[in-house]
Amino acid sequence: MKTYKFEAFTSDIEKNIRDGIYKPGYKLPSVRHLKKQYHTSISTIQNGYDYLIILGLVTSIPKSGYYVATPSNPKQKNTLQDNPVVRDAIFERNMELITASRGEKKIAEFNVATPGDLMISQKLLLRTMQQVIREKGAGLLRYYPTNGSEDLKTNIIKHAAGYQTRINPKELLITDGALQALYIALSAVCNAGDIVAVESPCVFSILEVIRVLNLKVIEVPVDLVNGFDVDFLKKACQKNKIKAVVITPNFHNPTGLLLADELKKELVNVIQQYDIAAIENDIYGDLNFSGKRPSTLKSYDESGLVITYSSYAKTLAPGIRLGWLSTGKFLKRAEQIKFSMGSTVSPVYQETVNRLLETNSYDRHIRAFRTRLAKNAHFTINLLSAHFPKGTFIVPPSGGYNLWVKMPDYIDMHDFYHQCERIGIKFTPGYTFSFSGMFPNNFRIVFADQYSSLKIKALELLGEAVSV
């Protein structure tokens, strides 16, 4: 029987897939990696992957790589009543990379962008919630106003005024978290097929909302010193009909960079010149490590083209599903979309956050929380610098709780993530932060949890393993 050169590596991959070791959505080794490992040609490796694609075991994502495909014809069904469930393997894999593990928990999960249990003011939140329930009683079981509690909106506006951001109470919507706010904002501004500009790197959740809405994307580079490249956006606007730009100017995820006030003003001038909406994500704005709380794009906007949204899931607790959206000139459409998604947000959450804002408990919590985050950021940078390979590049954040790390080019990233799996560490790989599969040597590490001795040891072991 004739054999082929590519069988040297395809047999191993095929066996791992059929045995369930490689799950659907698993990113397979690159062509260059396999060429080096098996001492063969690029064409042989590509032929091998073509063979696996024909078998239905592998799928190819342009500019991203090869992934284990979702089986289309399961061999067995548990019962005659089972219906096939079709899932997006790439989406499922990316969701796994940014959420906490189910079942067997990893020793060190640095991939989930939420505050850890020990960083949350649990007593403050639970005590406040209990007070609200006692006082409001059965009133919390009724619908609240569609656009949110007026008292809560008043206190959000007062808080924003503290950092020179003026919000019109008539344009403020209370939302079920930040992602719902983003969905409403994009839907209010764009139709399917429209072009939006996004930061690159850009967090997966934002990219997924854009993908679901069938929007086209222009990726704007984030300079690792100055942040969002406003000049690049300006040039893109000259050649394309861009409807909106989605940006996190304050402590960008994943780099933690802060856009300077001069660049914020320049960006507002660009959107006004080309009549495009700026959808501003300010969920990390309260988490500055030093100095005063930074300004927003909205604080420089007189046109109504800036739409700003935020959430309390990042500053209080991930389970507090409450955010807000300042719609600018797009209120009419945004209000309609918000109503179609559910007429009210949890009254308990609204009243709890309102109480925290009006009693200044929120401000006291934030002062302590951001101090702890700053210490964690400094500790993480020192830990990685001491134990990871020479040439590892770390972007020092100005706030938030993300670090953006780039491994040296000579590091085999397939082996790197294999070592992560072996030791029990989870990061978010860089390729999830771009539609085009950029940043293969980068990863994001979240430092919004307390460090245990096991976590510290795990990072030290990983650094030693990949430095050999």
Side-chain angles (χ1 to χ4, degrees):
M1 182 176 177
K2 183 177 180 180
T3 60
Y4 298 91
K5 291 182 180 179
F6 59 68
E7 291 181 7
F9 82 92
T10 58
S11 58
D12 292 338
I13 292 177
E14 182 177 351
K15 184 177 186 302
N16 285 336
I17 293 173
R18 295 194 187 281
D19 290 348
I21 297 173
Y22 290 169
K23 306 292 185 184
Y26 177 82
K27 192 174 193 304
L28 294 165
S30 68
V31 171
R32 292 187 181 277
H33 171 81
L34 291 173
K35 173 183 178 294
K36 181 179 178 182
Q37 181 179 349
Y38 288 93
H39 306 289
T40 189
S41 67
I42 288 178
S43 61
T44 296
I45 302 301
Q46 289 174 334
N47 288 338
Y49 269 134
D50 289 343
Y51 167 75
L52 292 172
I53 290 171
I54 291 170
L55 290 181
L57 298 174
V58 170
T59 186
S60 173
I61 306 297
K63 296 183 179 180
S64 179
Y66 294 94
Y67 297 81
V68 177
T70 302
S72 56
N73 295 307
K75 291 183 178 179
Q76 294 181 341
K77 293 185 177 181
N78 292 330
T79 70
L80 293 175
Q81 302 301 319
D82 283 347
N83 292 317
V85 177
V86 180
R87 304 194 69 176
D88 184 325
I90 307 305
F91 169 79
E92 189 174 4
R93 175 62 176 166
N94 286 339
M95 280 294 293
E96 179 186 337
L97 293 171
I98 64 170
T99 54
S101 298
R102 298 175 182 176
E104 184 180 353
K105 194 171 179 66
K106 299 291 183 182
I107 293 173
E109 293 193 328
F110 296 100
N111 62 311
V112 186
T114 57
D117 290 346
L118 297 178
M119 298 282 278
I120 296 171
S121 293
Q122 297 183 26
K123 290 183 179 179
L124 170 65
L125 286 170
L126 294 175
R127 183 175 67 245
T128 304
M129 197 173 290
Q130 289 167 353
Q131 290 171 351
V132 163
I133 291 171
R134 284 197 301 269
E135 293 175 16
K136 302 292 180 179
L140 297 172
L141 304 178
R142 305 186 185 102
Y143 280 131
Y144 265 37
T146 300
N147 291 351
S149 158
E150 293 301 323
D151 289 342
L152 172 60
K153 292 197 286 186
T154 297
N155 281 310
I156 289 173
I157 291 168
K158 286 181 180 178
H159 181 70
Y163 48 92
Q164 290 72 54
T165 297
R166 298 186 306 277
I167 298 176
N168 184 336
K170 294 180 180 179
E171 70 175 54
L172 186 60
L173 305 179
I174 302 302
T175 64
D176 186 12
L179 271 189
Q180 186 187 78
L182 172 63
Y183 187 96
I184 294 169
L186 278 169
S187 300
V189 174
C190 302
N191 295 310
D194 284 343
I195 301 173
V196 297
V198 299
E199 303 152 313
S200 184
C202 180
V203 64
F204 166 70
S205 55
I206 291 177
L207 296 178
E208 189 60 22
V209 172
I210 290 170
R211 187 186 69 82
V212 166
L213 291 173
N214 293 313
L215 302 174
K216 298 177 181 178
V217 166
I218 291 176
E219 297 188 1
V220 179
V222 172
D223 181 86
L224 296 184
V225 175
N226 298 315
F228 186 81
D229 192 334
V230 179
D231 286 336
F232 186 100
L233 175 66
K234 189 183 302 183
K235 293 174 183 176
C237 289
Q238 293 168 359
K239 299 179 181 179
N240 303 275
K241 180 57 179 175
I242 296 174
K243 293 295 291 289
V245 53
V246 183
I247 181 171
T248 308
N250 294 330
F251 318 125
H252 166 252
N253 183 359
T255 65
L257 292 170
L258 172 64
L259 196 66
D261 287 349
E262 294 75 16
L263 290 174
K264 289 175 182 173
K265 293 175 185 176
E266 186 179 343
L267 177 56
V268 171
N269 289 335
V270 171
I271 68 165
Q272 291 175 353
Q273 179 182 352
Y274 293 96
D275 192 32
I276 63 177
I279 301 175
E280 177 183 29
N281 176 6
D282 196 43
I283 59 174
Y284 296 108
D286 287 341
L287 301 179
N288 48 303
F289 291 165
S290 61
K292 64 180 182 179
R293 204 271 193 202
S295 64
T296 60
L297 295 180
K298 197 167 190 69
S299 62
Y300 304 113
D301 178 48
E302 299 293 338
S303 65
L305 286 168
V306 174
I307 305 173
T308 300
Y309 70 92
S310 189
S311 165
Y312 295 96
K314 303 295 186 185
T315 54
L316 288 174
I320 302 292
R321 302 304 306 161
L322 189 145
W324 56 265
L325 176 69
S326 180
T327 63
K329 65 188 291 184
F330 304 96
L331 171 65
K332 180 180 177 181
R333 180 66 177 149
E335 192 174 35
Q336 294 169 343
I337 296 166
K338 165 67 177 64
F339 180 82
S340 72
M341 300 177 73
S343 60
T344 191
V345 176
S346 165
V348 173
Y349 292 159
Q350 291 194 59
E351 293 293 349
T352 299
V353 172
N354 180 58
R355 181 66 57 85
L356 292 170
L357 290 172
E358 71 181 3
T359 60
N360 294 321
S361 296
Y362 177 79
D363 289 334
R364 290 194 297 271
H365 157 71
I366 285 297
R367 285 195 292 271
F369 185 40
R370 67 191 187 200
T371 298
R372 296 171 74 184
L373 287 172
K375 290 179 179 178
N376 272 11
H378 182 71
F379 179 81
T380 308
I381 291 172
N382 286 342
L383 190 62
L384 296 183
S385 298
H387 296 281
F388 272 52
K390 184 179 179 180
T392 299
F393 179 76
I394 305 168
V395 180
S398 301
Y401 37 75
N402 304 296
L403 272 183
W404 188 236
V405 183
K406 185 178 187 297
M407 299 297 287
D409 291 339
Y410 64 83
I411 294 295
D412 182 332
M413 293 305 290
H414 179 70
D415 179 65
F416 175 79
Y417 290 116
H418 172 72
Q419 296 295 342
C420 289
E421 183 72 22
R422 180 180 65 82
I423 293 170
I425 292 182
K426 287 185 77 172
F427 301 122
T428 308
Y431 59 79
T432 68
F433 291 87
S434 167
F435 279 127
S436 55
M438 297 172 64
F439 316 112
N441 278 58
N442 289 77
F443 64 87
R444 183 190 69 181
I445 178 170
V446 178
F447 50 81
D449 200 358
Q450 285 194 0
Y451 271 95
S452 64
S453 58
L454 283 176
K455 279 189 172 184
I456 295 171
K457 186 62 177 176
L459 282 175
E460 291 175 350
L461 287 172
L462 177 61
E464 293 169 2
V466 298
S467 296
V468 175

